[in-house]
Amino acid sequence: MELSDMLDITDIIQKTEDTLESVWKQFEIFRPKCLHLKLGQCISTMIQQQYLLHNDGEVVNSIFLLCQLAQPQNINPFNKVIFNYINQKPSDSRKSAAAYLVNLIPFSQSTLSSSATQILQNVKTVNPPLKNFPYTPKPDCSLSIILDDPENDSKEESHYKEVLSHLFDNDIADKVFLPPLARPAPPLFSDPDDLLWLCPNDNEYSFAWEPNISDDKVLSDKPGDLKKLFLLAQRQSLEVKQYELLKRELYAKEDSLQALPGLSPSSLPKLVDKNPSLAVDILLLLATSQQFGEYLSSLVNMDLSLHSMEVVNKITANLELPPQFIHFYIRNCITSCNNLTDKNTQHRYVRLVCVFLTALIRNRLVNVQDILIEIQAFCIDHSRIREATGLFRLLKTLDNNNDIN
């Protein structure tokens, strides 16, 4: 807030002959919502530092503006300032006028049509008690950092502007002195059922290493360790010993898959990315189950990767899969390559897909008649890549030999 704006507001507060409604309308010009708190702090400081207000009428206008800043009155953040000012000792005509005005809340139209001077004329009682004012006093140990200078009681306008400039340009109007709060650490909670930990300081300890901690025999005797291995396989690549142990246990029992925690079609992509060989073993064991189709769908819809092509190649070589599955997976590979925007990444995946398709065709694991045109178009689009050219020549050779089927 600029000092000129603050001086304009003090000019409005000094209009004690204008009606309260007129004072409020003039004040609203400086009342964008972002300045509500700032305006209230400035007016609060002027009320608390009595030398900033010249007469009782200015006190009435200031208290009125504070009450109007936030409605309803019970949520007004300046209720504390109003309450403390009215109840501050010693009592005088200013505090009596403020108490009389606060007791008129909510303000009626007749009150709003009255000026501060007229309000003062209606004050009949010295220090009237507050009625139903929505504030409960609480202990406050803070002190204002603004102190009166007993050696300077100047009433000059230049001194008045200088005081306002120091108060509001430096944002010190709302600051207070606070005593340091002693906050000792809370005592430790003691429970009679807690175990007592003995920590003697006169003994030296050394680590004892168990050489068989990861031995197959130790793990095989603990079924819980197998479940932990499977959960670990979904997060990181297993070591050779861990994989061999898990594979042996999977093929040892017919219902071994039911004991694996979290095995579902949605968890298959994690296994394929981290441990493709384990994913192949699980898919081979699931070949006769009713959920096998769901696992194949999950495999087809996962992101293109070297591991996913490796898994598809191996299960295609070991199982008789539905032709539409292989065709759909090949189409997905082609689409994924074409949608890549980074050229280096695209060229790398095109090479992988071409090698994958070449292996399927040479091993007679796929009938490409239904998707021959799509594969040829894919090869032509990426004809600059050697593997794509080789795949295209293989297709032409098979076509010329009438061996495309």
Side-chain angles (χ1 to χ4, degrees):
M1 179 187 298
E2 299 294 337
L3 177 61
S4 59
D5 295 336
M6 193 61 221
L7 293 176
D8 290 339
I9 293 176
T10 57
D11 290 341
I12 295 174
I13 293 176
Q14 292 171 3
K15 294 181 179 180
T16 58
E17 299 298 330
D18 292 1
T19 63
L20 297 181
E21 186 175 15
S22 174
V23 170
W24 178 246
K25 289 181 179 179
Q26 297 175 60
F27 181 77
E28 279 192 315
I29 299 175
F30 303 92
R31 202 182 70 101
K33 292 184 178 180
C34 59
L35 292 180
H36 273 197
L37 184 61
K38 184 65 176 180
L39 287 172
Q41 290 173 343
C42 295
I43 298 175
S44 299
T45 303
M46 296 177 69
I47 293 175
Q48 293 169 333
Q49 309 302 322
Q50 298 188 20
Y51 58 85
L52 295 178
L53 297 176
H54 302 114
N55 53 59
D56 297 359
E58 293 181 15
V59 173
V60 171
N61 280 343
S62 300
I63 294 291
F64 169 73
L65 292 176
L66 278 189
C67 294
Q68 289 291 96
L69 270 178
Q71 297 293 334
Q73 191 64 36
N74 60 345
I75 65 170
N76 194 319
F78 303 105
N79 285 342
K80 175 183 175 182
V81 175
I82 299 173
F83 182 89
N84 290 341
Y85 174 75
I86 293 175
N87 289 277
Q88 184 180 2
K89 301 298 183 180
S91 302
D92 54 27
S93 59
R94 291 188 174 190
K95 299 182 179 62
S96 300
Y100 177 81
L101 178 66
V102 170
N103 286 333
L104 296 178
I105 297 175
F107 300 122
S108 62
Q109 185 59 42
S110 61
T111 302
L112 296 176
S113 301
S114 304
S115 65
T117 304
Q118 294 171 336
I119 295 291
L120 292 172
Q121 295 173 356
N122 295 329
V123 179
K124 307 296 184 182
T125 307
V126 177
N127 195 22
L130 293 179
K131 300 177 182 178
N132 302 322
F133 188 66
Y135 176 75
T136 302
K138 300 177 182 178
D140 189 359
C141 57
S142 63
L143 298 174
S144 175
I145 66 172
I146 305 173
L147 302 176
D148 293 336
D149 184 1
E151 298 181 359
N152 189 348
D153 57 352
S154 174
K155 303 296 184 181
E156 297 180 2
E157 185 68 18
S158 59
H159 176 69
Y160 181 71
K161 293 182 179 180
E162 181 182 356
V163 172
L164 290 179
S165 175
H166 282 294
L167 287 179
F168 304 119
D169 280 358
N170 299 321
D171 288 331
I172 64 173
D174 58 331
K175 296 180 181 179
V176 294
F177 284 118
L178 287 175
L181 299 180
R183 297 182 179 179
L188 294 177
F189 176 75
S190 60
D191 190 335
D193 296 330
D194 279 351
L195 294 176
L196 294 178
W197 291 92
L198 300 178
C199 300
N201 297 325
D202 54 349
N203 294 335
E204 295 183 359
Y205 301 95
S206 60
F207 291 102
W209 182 258
E210 171 56 54
N212 297 323
I213 192 67
S214 61
D215 189 72
D216 292 350
K217 295 181 180 179
V218 177
L219 288 175
S220 61
D221 294 335
K222 299 179 180 181
D225 290 339
L226 299 177
K227 296 180 180 180
K228 293 179 181 178
L229 276 180
F230 180 73
L231 293 175
L232 183 65
Q234 299 180 53
R235 300 193 300 269
Q236 66 183 47
S237 299
L238 296 179
E239 297 178 0
V240 177
K241 283 188 176 181
Q242 293 173 328
Y243 166 67
E244 293 296 336
L245 171 62
L246 194 53
K247 178 180 178 180
R248 186 170 66 246
E249 291 298 322
L250 288 177
Y251 285 97
K253 300 178 182 179
E254 295 182 357
D255 58 345
S256 58
L257 293 179
Q258 298 178 3
L260 296 180
L263 178 60
S264 64
S266 60
S267 65
L268 181 63
K270 298 179 182 178
L271 281 177
V272 172
D273 287 336
K274 303 297 182 182
N275 295 278
S277 298
L278 181 60
V280 171
D281 294 328
I282 291 177
L283 287 173
L284 294 178
L285 292 172
L286 288 169
T288 57
S289 68
Q290 296 180 352
Q291 284 189 307
F292 186 59
E294 298 179 16
Y295 283 90
L296 292 181
S297 299
S298 177
L299 182 60
V300 167
N301 293 321
M302 71 177 293
D303 294 337
L304 177 63
S305 66
L306 174 61
H307 286 170
S308 67
M309 288 187 283
E310 177 185 345
V311 171
V312 172
N313 188 31
K314 288 184 178 180
I315 63 172
T316 305
N318 290 276
L319 295 175
E320 185 176 351
L321 299 177
Q324 59 271 23
F325 161 73
I326 303 177
H327 295 163
F328 191 83
Y329 183 77
I330 294 174
R331 290 191 179 98
N332 186 37
C333 291
I334 294 174
T335 303
S336 299
C337 286
N338 291 334
N339 291 337
L340 291 173
T341 56
D342 184 73
K343 291 299 181 183
N344 294 330
T345 305
Q346 187 183 53
H347 290 172
R348 183 165 63 89
Y349 275 106
V350 168
R351 292 189 182 96
L352 292 176
V353 171
C354 289
V355 172
F356 169 67
L357 293 176
T358 301
L360 290 181
I361 296 172
R362 290 189 183 279
N363 295 325
R364 298 181 179 274
L365 298 178
V366 61
N367 181 2
V368 297
Q369 181 63 39
D370 296 334
I371 55 174
L372 177 62
I373 297 178
E374 297 178 31
I375 297 178
Q376 287 180 335
F378 175 72
C379 294
I380 294 173
D381 290 339
H382 304 283
S383 57
R384 294 185 178 181
I385 299 176
R386 182 180 59 185
E387 288 79 3
T389 304
L391 176 59
F392 185 79
R393 290 173 180 172
L394 176 62
L395 293 175
K396 296 299 291 183
T397 301
L398 295 177
D399 190 18
N400 293 335
N401 297 335
N402 295 323
D403 196 22
I404 198 68
N405 291 324

